[in-house]
Amino acid sequence: MYKRFIWGLFSLLTSASMYAQTDSHLLFNEVMQSNIDYLLVEKDFPDSWVELYNPGSQPVSLTGYSLSEHADGRNAYRFPAGGETVPAKGHLVIFCDKENRGLHASFRIDSGNASLYLFDTKGVAVDSLILPKMPAPNIAYGRVTDGAGEWHYEMAPSAGKANGGG
């Protein structure tokens, strides 16, 4: 009986540990505040953008997530229900152009110092970023490699693709 209990406890802890390792979450991965002609959508006026990265092994639906310039979540852009999903180890670009539709946020990222906050479906901030002033247009600020802790300016931005440290 004791052996069964220990085996059951071990199995429970092992499966909980495996779940924690595969639990997907989202991170800011790359941002461009002053997009002059690097990335255009529908031949529209170029604008700022942010790239999300999913380092997990499961896709993450953006339904219920929100994006804001404010730590308290006010004036947040809410991703539409039944909308986009960020695949496992995948990237997704959101345009910050005040259009408030689809993957177009309801605000623009300031070209000076700015902050970004990503909130999950419960309104909990899952990632935040304080952006430095960009040295010039068409330069991104991104993680050295996808999901890494170190950030730098990117002379060769990689919107929607793996960061390569350029």
Side-chain angles (χ1 to χ4, degrees), residues 72-89:
D72 61 6
R74 72 178 181 276
N75 301 325
Y77 163 70
R78 304 211 183 285
F79 290 95
E84 297 291 327
T85 297
V86 184
K89 307 289 186 216

PDB file of all heavy atoms in Angstrom, residues 72-89:
ATOM      1  N   ASP A  72      -1.106  49.707 -15.227  1.00  0.00           N
ATOM      2  CA  ASP A  72      -2.413  49.379 -14.659  1.00  0.00           C
ATOM      3  C   ASP A  72      -3.395  48.875 -15.720  1.00  0.00           C
ATOM      4  O   ASP A  72      -4.539  48.560 -15.413  1.00  0.00           O
ATOM      5  CB  ASP A  72      -3.007  50.578 -13.915  1.00  0.00           C
ATOM      6  CG  ASP A  72      -3.241  51.790 -14.801  1.00  0.00           C
ATOM      7  OD1 ASP A  72      -3.056  51.698 -16.047  1.00  0.00           O
ATOM      8  OD2 ASP A  72      -3.609  52.848 -14.255  1.00  0.00           O
ATOM      9  N   GLY A  73      -2.956  48.800 -16.961  1.00  0.00           N
ATOM     10  CA  GLY A  73      -3.783  48.238 -18.031  1.00  0.00           C
ATOM     11  C   GLY A  73      -4.813  49.177 -18.620  1.00  0.00           C
ATOM     12  O   GLY A  73      -5.590  48.779 -19.493  1.00  0.00           O
ATOM     13  N   ARG A  74      -4.817  50.427 -18.219  1.00  0.00           N
ATOM     14  CA  ARG A  74      -5.828  51.344 -18.772  1.00  0.00           C
ATOM     15  C   ARG A  74      -5.572  51.578 -20.259  1.00  0.00           C
ATOM     16  O   ARG A  74      -4.447  51.484 -20.732  1.00  0.00           O
ATOM     17  CB  ARG A  74      -5.878  52.648 -17.989  1.00  0.00           C
ATOM     18  CG  ARG A  74      -4.708  53.556 -18.196  1.00  0.00           C
ATOM     19  CD  ARG A  74      -4.888  54.864 -17.393  1.00  0.00           C
ATOM     20  NE  ARG A  74      -3.791  55.757 -17.593  1.00  0.00           N
ATOM     21  CZ  ARG A  74      -2.645  55.732 -16.949  1.00  0.00           C
ATOM     22  NH1 ARG A  74      -2.447  54.815 -16.028  1.00  0.00           N
ATOM     23  NH2 ARG A  74      -1.689  56.589 -17.218  1.00  0.00           N
ATOM     24  N   ASN A  75      -6.637  51.856 -20.951  1.00  0.00           N
ATOM     25  CA  ASN A  75      -6.594  52.098 -22.399  1.00  0.00           C
ATOM     26  C   ASN A  75      -5.933  50.944 -23.159  1.00  0.00           C
ATOM     27  O   ASN A  75      -5.299  51.160 -24.190  1.00  0.00           O
ATOM     28  CB  ASN A  75      -5.882  53.406 -22.730  1.00  0.00           C
ATOM     29  CG  ASN A  75      -6.534  54.605 -22.080  1.00  0.00           C
ATOM     30  OD1 ASN A  75      -7.761  54.657 -21.941  1.00  0.00           O
ATOM     31  ND2 ASN A  75      -5.737  55.562 -21.648  1.00  0.00           N
ATOM     32  N   ALA A  76      -6.092  49.746 -22.653  1.00  0.00           N
ATOM     33  CA  ALA A  76      -5.447  48.582 -23.266  1.00  0.00           C
ATOM     34  C   ALA A  76      -6.156  48.169 -24.551  1.00  0.00           C
ATOM     35  O   ALA A  76      -7.370  48.289 -24.676  1.00  0.00           O
ATOM     36  CB  ALA A  76      -5.438  47.415 -22.290  1.00  0.00           C
ATOM     37  N   TYR A  77      -5.368  47.691 -25.475  1.00  0.00           N
ATOM     38  CA  TYR A  77      -5.894  47.073 -26.685  1.00  0.00           C
ATOM     39  C   TYR A  77      -6.198  45.618 -26.343  1.00  0.00           C
ATOM     40  O   TYR A  77      -5.330  44.891 -25.872  1.00  0.00           O
ATOM     41  CB  TYR A  77      -4.868  47.148 -27.825  1.00  0.00           C
ATOM     42  CG  TYR A  77      -5.180  46.205 -28.945  1.00  0.00           C
ATOM     43  CD1 TYR A  77      -6.267  46.433 -29.770  1.00  0.00           C
ATOM     44  CD2 TYR A  77      -4.415  45.067 -29.153  1.00  0.00           C
ATOM     45  CE1 TYR A  77      -6.572  45.547 -30.787  1.00  0.00           C
ATOM     46  CE2 TYR A  77      -4.709  44.186 -30.169  1.00  0.00           C
ATOM     47  CZ  TYR A  77      -5.785  44.429 -30.978  1.00  0.00           C
ATOM     48  OH  TYR A  77      -6.098  43.553 -31.977  1.00  0.00           O
ATOM     49  N   ARG A  78      -7.426  45.194 -26.568  1.00  0.00           N
ATOM     50  CA  ARG A  78      -7.833  43.822 -26.269  1.00  0.00           C
ATOM     51  C   ARG A  78      -7.881  43.019 -27.564  1.00  0.00           C
ATOM     52  O   ARG A  78      -8.529  43.427 -28.525  1.00  0.00           O
ATOM     53  CB  ARG A  78      -9.195  43.802 -25.595  1.00  0.00           C
ATOM     54  CG  ARG A  78      -9.199  44.646 -24.346  1.00  0.00           C
ATOM     55  CD  ARG A  78     -10.128  44.166 -23.280  1.00  0.00           C
ATOM     56  NE  ARG A  78     -10.149  45.055 -22.139  1.00  0.00           N
ATOM     57  CZ  ARG A  78      -9.203  45.158 -21.224  1.00  0.00           C
ATOM     58  NH1 ARG A  78      -8.136  44.431 -21.328  1.00  0.00           N
ATOM     59  NH2 ARG A  78      -9.302  45.981 -20.215  1.00  0.00           N
ATOM     60  N   PHE A  79      -7.191  41.896 -27.555  1.00  0.00           N
ATOM     61  CA  PHE A  79      -7.209  41.042 -28.731  1.00  0.00           C
ATOM     62  C   PHE A  79      -8.602  40.456 -28.899  1.00  0.00           C
ATOM     63  O   PHE A  79      -9.246  40.075 -27.929  1.00  0.00           O
ATOM     64  CB  PHE A  79      -6.170  39.921 -28.601  1.00  0.00           C
ATOM     65  CG  PHE A  79      -4.761  40.428 -28.685  1.00  0.00           C
ATOM     66  CD1 PHE A  79      -4.050  40.726 -27.526  1.00  0.00           C
ATOM     67  CD2 PHE A  79      -4.156  40.631 -29.906  1.00  0.00           C
ATOM     68  CE1 PHE A  79      -2.760  41.204 -27.593  1.00  0.00           C
ATOM     69  CE2 PHE A  79      -2.865  41.117 -29.986  1.00  0.00           C
ATOM     70  CZ  PHE A  79      -2.163  41.401 -28.830  1.00  0.00           C
ATOM     71  N   PRO A  80      -9.099  40.390 -30.122  1.00  0.00           N
ATOM     72  CA  PRO A  80     -10.465  39.918 -30.352  1.00  0.00           C
ATOM     73  C   PRO A  80     -10.646  38.434 -30.040  1.00  0.00           C
ATOM     74  O   PRO A  80      -9.713  37.642 -30.185  1.00  0.00           O
ATOM     75  CB  PRO A  80     -10.703  40.189 -31.836  1.00  0.00           C
ATOM     76  CG  PRO A  80      -9.366  40.410 -32.438  1.00  0.00           C
ATOM     77  CD  PRO A  80      -8.431  40.794 -31.348  1.00  0.00           C
ATOM     78  N   ALA A  81     -11.847  38.085 -29.620  1.00  0.00           N
ATOM     79  CA  ALA A  81     -12.194  36.685 -29.348  1.00  0.00           C
ATOM     80  C   ALA A  81     -12.092  35.885 -30.639  1.00  0.00           C
ATOM     81  O   ALA A  81     -12.435  36.379 -31.718  1.00  0.00           O
ATOM     82  CB  ALA A  81     -13.598  36.587 -28.776  1.00  0.00           C
ATOM     83  N   GLY A  82     -11.608  34.658 -30.512  1.00  0.00           N
ATOM     84  CA  GLY A  82     -11.498  33.784 -31.678  1.00  0.00           C
ATOM     85  C   GLY A  82     -10.460  34.265 -32.669  1.00  0.00           C
ATOM     86  O   GLY A  82     -10.462  33.875 -33.832  1.00  0.00           O
ATOM     87  N   GLY A  83      -9.553  35.123 -32.193  1.00  0.00           N
ATOM     88  CA  GLY A  83      -8.554  35.710 -33.082  1.00  0.00           C
ATOM     89  C   GLY A  83      -7.313  34.855 -33.237  1.00  0.00           C
ATOM     90  O   GLY A  83      -7.383  33.637 -33.337  1.00  0.00           O
ATOM     91  N   GLU A  84      -6.214  35.502 -33.183  1.00  0.00           N
ATOM     92  CA  GLU A  84      -4.921  34.886 -33.477  1.00  0.00           C
ATOM     93  C   GLU A  84      -4.423  33.951 -32.385  1.00  0.00           C
ATOM     94  O   GLU A  84      -4.751  34.095 -31.221  1.00  0.00           O
ATOM     95  CB  GLU A  84      -3.874  35.978 -33.696  1.00  0.00           C
ATOM     96  CG  GLU A  84      -4.150  36.875 -34.869  1.00  0.00           C
ATOM     97  CD  GLU A  84      -4.014  36.173 -36.201  1.00  0.00           C
ATOM     98  OE1 GLU A  84      -3.165  35.270 -36.340  1.00  0.00           O
ATOM     99  OE2 GLU A  84      -4.752  36.544 -37.106  1.00  0.00           O
ATOM    100  N   THR A  85      -3.575  33.032 -32.804  1.00  0.00           N
ATOM    101  CA  THR A  85      -2.866  32.122 -31.911  1.00  0.00           C
ATOM    102  C   THR A  85      -1.383  32.222 -32.237  1.00  0.00           C
ATOM    103  O   THR A  85      -1.008  32.289 -33.403  1.00  0.00           O
ATOM    104  CB  THR A  85      -3.362  30.679 -32.111  1.00  0.00           C
ATOM    105  OG1 THR A  85      -4.743  30.622 -31.762  1.00  0.00           O
ATOM    106  CG2 THR A  85      -2.601  29.707 -31.254  1.00  0.00           C
ATOM    107  N   VAL A  86      -0.563  32.249 -31.207  1.00  0.00           N
ATOM    108  CA  VAL A  86       0.885  32.255 -31.418  1.00  0.00           C
ATOM    109  C   VAL A  86       1.352  30.810 -31.277  1.00  0.00           C
ATOM    110  O   VAL A  86       1.198  30.201 -30.221  1.00  0.00           O
ATOM    111  CB  VAL A  86       1.611  33.157 -30.398  1.00  0.00           C
ATOM    112  CG1 VAL A  86       3.101  33.221 -30.720  1.00  0.00           C
ATOM    113  CG2 VAL A  86       1.005  34.553 -30.374  1.00  0.00           C
ATOM    114  N   PRO A  87       1.890  30.236 -32.346  1.00  0.00           N
ATOM    115  CA  PRO A  87       2.301  28.823 -32.290  1.00  0.00           C
ATOM    116  C   PRO A  87       3.460  28.607 -31.326  1.00  0.00           C
ATOM    117  O   PRO A  87       4.180  29.543 -30.984  1.00  0.00           O
ATOM    118  CB  PRO A  87       2.719  28.518 -33.731  1.00  0.00           C
ATOM    119  CG  PRO A  87       2.962  29.826 -34.373  1.00  0.00           C
ATOM    120  CD  PRO A  87       2.187  30.860 -33.633  1.00  0.00           C
ATOM    121  N   ALA A  88       3.655  27.379 -30.914  1.00  0.00           N
ATOM    122  CA  ALA A  88       4.795  27.029 -30.077  1.00  0.00           C
ATOM    123  C   ALA A  88       6.074  27.445 -30.785  1.00  0.00           C
ATOM    124  O   ALA A  88       6.220  27.240 -31.988  1.00  0.00           O
ATOM    125  CB  ALA A  88       4.795  25.523 -29.812  1.00  0.00           C
ATOM    126  N   LYS A  89       6.972  28.074 -30.055  1.00  0.00           N
ATOM    127  CA  LYS A  89       8.248  28.582 -30.593  1.00  0.00           C
ATOM    128  C   LYS A  89       8.023  29.557 -31.749  1.00  0.00           C
ATOM    129  O   LYS A  89       8.905  29.764 -32.570  1.00  0.00           O
ATOM    130  CB  LYS A  89       9.156  27.447 -31.068  1.00  0.00           C
ATOM    131  CG  LYS A  89       9.396  26.369 -30.047  1.00  0.00           C
ATOM    132  CD  LYS A  89      10.264  26.826 -28.930  1.00  0.00           C
ATOM    133  CE  LYS A  89      10.590  25.660 -28.007  1.00  0.00           C
ATOM    134  NZ  LYS A  89      10.664  26.058 -26.629  1.00  0.00           N
TER     135      LYS A  89
END
